[in-house]
Amino acid sequence: MDEQELLAAVASLVRPSGQELVCSQSGHPPGHVCLTASGAINLSTLLKEFSGSYGQLRNLAMGGYVDPTVTERTGLPLLAPFAGELVEMRGWESGSRWIGCGAVRAGDGEQLVVLVAERAAPSPDAPPEGASWVDSLLRATGWDARDAAQPWAEIEAELGTELPCEYKQLCQAFGVGWFSQVVTVLCSDETRVADLLRMWRGLLEDDDPSDGPFAPYPIHVPGTTGGLIPWGTGAEEMFFWHVTDGAVNAWPVLAKAKDSEYWHRYEMTATEFLYRTLTDPGFRPSTVADAVPEPFFEPA
């Protein structure tokens, strides 16, 4: 495969589909797929491409030295197929899959390797049947649900699209405020501190899709797909929906640190993303659970 074919194959394997990962290479364990890469592909170029698409990498092996602290949770499935052959390995998380890129010993030289491996589903578990992520957030923070009226018809008319149902339930249950003193969800806000439309208008006015701070994504323009709508902020991050042609309630979340060029993509709702950010120490890089083990909510 050339570089573009390789990137497309990885994107297909990490996309949620239920596809079982079975490697065709003799002696390799189940739970992963090794991809054949052209010898003309440069390792450093691939590392940059994967980091641009899948965010911060993990250093699992460098200069023939394998990190002995690596576990199933931090990337071990990417190391298992290669035993003592590894020279380099970097890893990225993407939902229920790991992406690995590195080099192994081959004869008197080295060979580029790219693989996709199964990743244990992130904890905590989904809410019980009949409950929602908003219910989970209410339980986790000990907050009594409000009925904070929101002018959804007006908001959605200006955006030119409906918004996810659970997000609207979240705004109505909590109103405007801070989760664990770090994360703010953008709703309709009379104080204008965390107002969704005000934030979106400002980003749209300053947007340069070719070279702006959110490239390669444009800020959402009413009547189009492919753009970004902001829904929340963290200490140094901004959280967006990626407006796709699919169902509104299945829009993925894109997160970006304010001083980084890299994006993190999550195939989950904004409410699930918020819950995991507040409660799961392993939900990196966005988790705040290490700093604030008991999540709470403070109204504005």
Side-chain angles (χ1 to χ4, degrees):
M1 296 183 187
D2 64 22
E3 182 179 315
Q4 293 306 311
E5 290 172 330
L6 191 63
L7 295 173
V10 169
S12 176
L13 287 170
V14 300
R15 190 175 300 123
S17 65
Q19 178 181 352
E20 185 177 1
L21 299 183
V22 179
C23 188
S24 60
Q25 294 200 23
S26 176
H28 278 207
H32 79 282
V33 169
C34 288
L35 299 169
T36 303
S38 164
I41 299 176
N42 183 274
L43 175 59
S44 62
T45 300
L46 269 189
L47 296 180
K48 184 175 181 180
E49 290 284 353
F50 285 134
S51 292
S53 297
Y54 301 104
Q56 184 66 40
L57 58 79
R58 291 176 183 263
N59 288 313
L60 306 178
M62 296 181 66
Y65 174 78
V66 177
D67 183 350
T69 67
V70 176
T71 66
E72 286 285 334
R73 187 173 182 134
T74 59
L76 189 59
L78 296 174
L79 307 181
F82 304 108
E85 302 173 347
L86 268 176
V87 179
E88 308 281 341
M89 182 59 70
R90 310 293 190 273
W92 296 263
E93 301 170 11
S94 182
S96 61
R97 300 282 159 92
W98 285 104
I99 300 163
C101 180
V104 296
R105 297 181 182 89
D108 294 331
E110 298 177 3
Q111 178 180 332
L112 177 69
V113 292
V114 176
L115 71 158
V116 175
E118 299 286 359
R119 176 172 173 255
S123 63
D125 294 331
E129 186 175 354
S132 69
W133 290 107
V134 176
D135 295 325
S136 296
L137 284 162
L138 290 168
R139 287 195 299 272
T141 58
W143 183 252
D144 292 326
R146 291 180 172 183
D147 187 12
Q150 301 281 312
W152 295 123
E154 174 187 326
I155 292 170
E156 292 176 332
E158 184 167 347
L159 291 171
T161 179
E162 294 181 13
L163 294 174
C165 293
E166 268 199 353
Y167 156 77
K168 292 191 282 189
Q169 295 168 11
L170 175 70
C171 286
Q172 290 176 205
F174 286 89
V176 176
W178 293 267
F179 290 88
S180 295
Q181 290 187 326
V182 179
V183 181
T184 300
V185 174
L186 305 176
C187 302
S188 174
D189 179 16
E190 293 180 357
T191 70
R192 300 172 65 83
V193 172
D195 186 76
L196 184 147
L197 284 180
R198 181 171 180 265
M199 176 73 77
W200 168 71
R201 290 182 196 124
L203 295 177
L204 183 60
E205 182 177 348
D206 298 335
D207 190 34
D208 179 356
S210 63
D211 194 31
F214 306 113
Y217 302 100
I219 298 301
H220 170 72
V221 174
T224 69
T225 59
L228 304 176
I229 297 177
W231 64 262
T233 63
E236 294 295 332
E237 287 184 287
M238 292 191 68
F239 311 129
F240 299 86
W241 290 292
H242 187 204
V243 179
T244 68
D245 291 324
V248 169
N249 293 322
W251 283 348
V253 168
L254 288 174
K256 184 178 186 295
K258 295 173 183 176
D259 59 352
S260 172
E261 62 181 299
Y262 298 127
W263 288 93
H264 296 269
R265 183 183 181 92
Y266 303 86
E267 298 292 340
M268 61 181 64
T269 64
T271 44
E272 179 181 355
F273 177 89
L274 177 60
Y275 181 75
R276 296 194 186 284
T277 294
L278 298 177
T279 64
D280 184 359
F283 192 62
R284 301 190 181 280
S286 294
T287 183
V288 300
D290 286 331
V292 189
E294 296 185 12
F296 61 93
F297 179 74
E298 292 180 321

